[in-house]
Amino acid sequence: MKKKEIQQLKTELSSKKKIVIVTHKNPDGDAIGSSLAVYIYLKKQGHNVQVIVPNEYPEFLKWMPQNEFIIIYEKHKTKAKKLILEAELIFTLDFNAFSRAGDMQEILEKATANFVLIDHHQQPDNYAKYTYTDVTICSTAQMVYHFIEFMDGLDVLDKEIATTIYTGIMTDTGSFRFRSTSSTTHRVVADLIDHGADNAFIHESVFDNNSLEKMQLLGVALNNLKIIPEYHTAYITLSQKELDANHFKKGDYEGFVNYALSVENVILAAIFVESKEDDLIKISFRSKGSFSVNKFARNHFEGGGHDNASGGKSNRSLEDTISYFISKLHGYKIELSHD
Ligand code: 5GP
Ligand code: MN
């Protein structure tokens, strides 16, 4: 963020404002963690703040401090629309194009507020008065820490803010193991622990509340795992029938794609999940090294994300999506073939 922008934003935040914080559709730990951190921080500064998320999110994120104040757009459209239209400042966190906000896209386009964009994805749109974007930072949550630092606000860091930021960093770095986890990340996390973030409690709250059904769905997913050795590729499929048979709940297959990526010699992994409700196939891609799944998802599956983690969708049947996916791999023969 430029010095001049920091100064301007500081001035804007020096008087009480109506502020709305929004994040992307199907919010993950980074999206919810970042939103709650900014929410708690700004509320402590005396602002009138609301968090609005496009749709439901998994149970394993609902233990977070002040989670009960999050407004789900899908369920409370009238109230959410009014808040967005009346806001003076709108923070958009963990995404950088209105299209990623699902059904909220239209109302965000109508809003007259000044936008603050804080995000670590590639190719940001140009809608914000204040843009803080950096693709080298592991998580939006870490950027929220730096944002508070830019605002000279670190003295208000408390257990709740530390906990929500920690959760965002932990979930987006695969518990501090992805390449994007830097020495700065660890310094930030150390400071969060010093301010009350309980690392074991947070980890257990997110990862150790698995239902038996989720574990059995993992069994199905691992059974469906396929390897294409010549392209160092692994993929998993889950049909609607398989989801139903295991009483699928939102978030149940999150992280499954990492099992595909963990297979020896695999550099590209994918999971394809059938959604009858949305009438499409939801896809997550992961890669190791220089193969960009951001480009792959953008080019072939109406998606995007990061170089090593991205998502997309397909309107074909599950079977046809897999055939299409395999047919597209041929075009990346050189990148995917080397050992
Ligand atoms: P996941 O596979 O965990 O849903 O998403 C991985 C990454 O890709 C996340 O950073 C997410 O924001 C991004 N992503 C997922 N789906 C889409 C999509 O449809 N479009 C774009 N631009 N990014 C996506
Ligand atoms: Mn993120």
Side-chain angles (χ1 to χ4, degrees):
M1 209 173 189
K2 292 192 199 85
K3 276 225 168 78
K4 206 175 124 199
E5 278 185 291
I6 292 174
Q7 216 41 56
Q8 272 181 6
L9 185 51
K10 253 181 166 173
T11 310
E12 262 197 68
L13 289 172
S14 64
S15 59
K16 194 176 161 176
K17 290 274 168 342
K18 277 187 217 154
I19 302 175
V20 166
I21 298 161
V22 300
T23 190
H24 57 79
K25 192 176 176 192
N26 300 323
D28 58 7
D30 193 25
I32 299 293
S34 299
S35 299
L36 286 174
V38 176
Y39 173 75
I40 299 165
Y41 170 72
L42 292 173
K43 227 166 52 164
K44 279 183 94 167
Q45 312 292 303
H47 298 288
N48 181 341
V49 202
Q50 304 283 349
V51 176
I52 304 175
V53 304
N55 61 341
E56 263 293 2
Y57 49 98
E59 285 298 316
F60 64 77
L61 297 174
K62 294 195 171 173
W63 59 272
M64 270 193 265
Q66 314 227 15
N67 167 74
E68 63 272 26
F69 298 112
I70 295 179
I71 297 167
I72 298 175
Y73 180 81
E74 216 171 51
K75 290 185 180 165
H76 303 282
K77 274 194 187 150
T78 314
K79 182 181 175 190
K81 278 185 182 169
K82 189 166 180 284
L83 287 166
I84 289 170
L85 293 178
E86 286 174 358
E88 294 163 277
L89 211 51
I90 299 178
F91 281 71
T92 65
L93 304 180
D94 203 37
F95 72 103
N96 59 23
F98 288 159
S99 59
R100 291 277 296 130
D103 291 347
M104 283 173 68
Q105 174 170 1
E106 210 177 308
I107 194 76
L108 289 175
E109 279 163 359
K110 280 195 192 130
T112 54
N114 287 330
F115 280 89
V116 184
L117 184 168
I118 305 178
D119 179 59
H120 63 141
H121 293 91
Q122 311 203 4
Q123 295 163 292
D125 275 358
N126 191 17
Y127 58 80
K129 181 173 178 193
Y130 307 102
T131 297
Y132 175 29
T133 171
D134 188 339
V135 298
T136 69
I137 299 183
C138 65
S139 57
T140 300
Q142 185 184 323
M143 298 177 74
V144 165
Y145 179 94
H146 298 312
F147 159 74
I148 295 174
E149 203 173 12
F150 298 154
M151 295 296 118
D152 293 322
L154 284 184
D155 53 331
V156 307
L157 207 68
D158 59 10
K159 187 181 170 85
E160 290 195 336
I161 299 175
T163 299
T164 49
I165 296 180
Y166 187 103
T167 307
I169 298 177
M170 180 190 78
T171 51
D172 252 28
T173 56
S175 300
F176 315 105
R177 75 181 191 277
F178 298 153
R179 196 175 300 280
S180 56
T181 313
S182 65
S183 58
T184 305
T185 308
H186 282 286
R187 274 188 284 272
V188 167
V189 166
D191 194 40
L192 297 174
I193 292 175
D194 284 343
H195 282 87
D198 181 342
N199 57 328
F201 169 79
I202 295 170
H203 198 278
E204 282 165 23
S205 302
V206 173
F207 296 115
D208 296 345
N209 276 315
N210 292 321
S211 64
L212 177 63
E213 286 88 355
K214 177 183 166 174
M215 291 293 97
Q216 286 169 337
L217 186 66
L218 174 61
V220 175
L222 294 178
N223 239 334
N224 291 349
L225 175 65
K226 301 264 184 329
I227 309 287
I228 312 172
E230 63 269 37
Y231 293 125
H232 301 266
T233 293
Y235 68 90
I236 290 169
T237 55
L238 283 173
S239 66
Q240 184 70 59
K241 216 170 150 188
E242 289 166 328
L243 297 177
D244 292 344
N246 291 282
H247 306 102
F248 164 76
K249 281 198 284 312
K250 206 168 184 78
D252 273 0
Y253 60 81
E254 218 164 289
F256 286 9
V257 66
N258 293 318
Y259 288 95
L261 191 65
S262 75
V263 176
E264 56 186 350
N265 297 321
V266 163
I267 55 179
L268 169 62
I271 184 167
F272 299 88
V273 183
E274 189 176 27
S275 169
K276 283 272 189 272
E277 186 189 338
D278 296 323
D279 197 22
L280 49 78
I281 308 296
K282 293 183 181 174
I283 314 166
S284 288
F285 297 106
R286 298 293 185 268
S287 68
K288 284 203 171 129
S290 58
F291 187 79
S292 171
V293 285
N294 170 48
K295 279 191 206 136
F296 188 76
R298 269 177 205 269
N299 288 346
H300 311 297
F301 292 96
E302 298 169 54
H306 308 283
D307 284 338
N308 294 128
S310 71
K313 57 179 187 281
S314 158
N315 294 313
R316 297 171 158 85
S317 69
L318 189 54
E319 246 182 26
D320 290 352
T321 301
I322 299 302
S323 308
Y324 176 75
F325 168 65
I326 294 171
S327 76
K328 289 298 156 197
L329 294 180
H330 303 310
Y332 299 84
K333 215 180 168 109
I334 297 164
E335 289 115 297
L336 289 172
S337 300
H338 64 82
D339 284 301

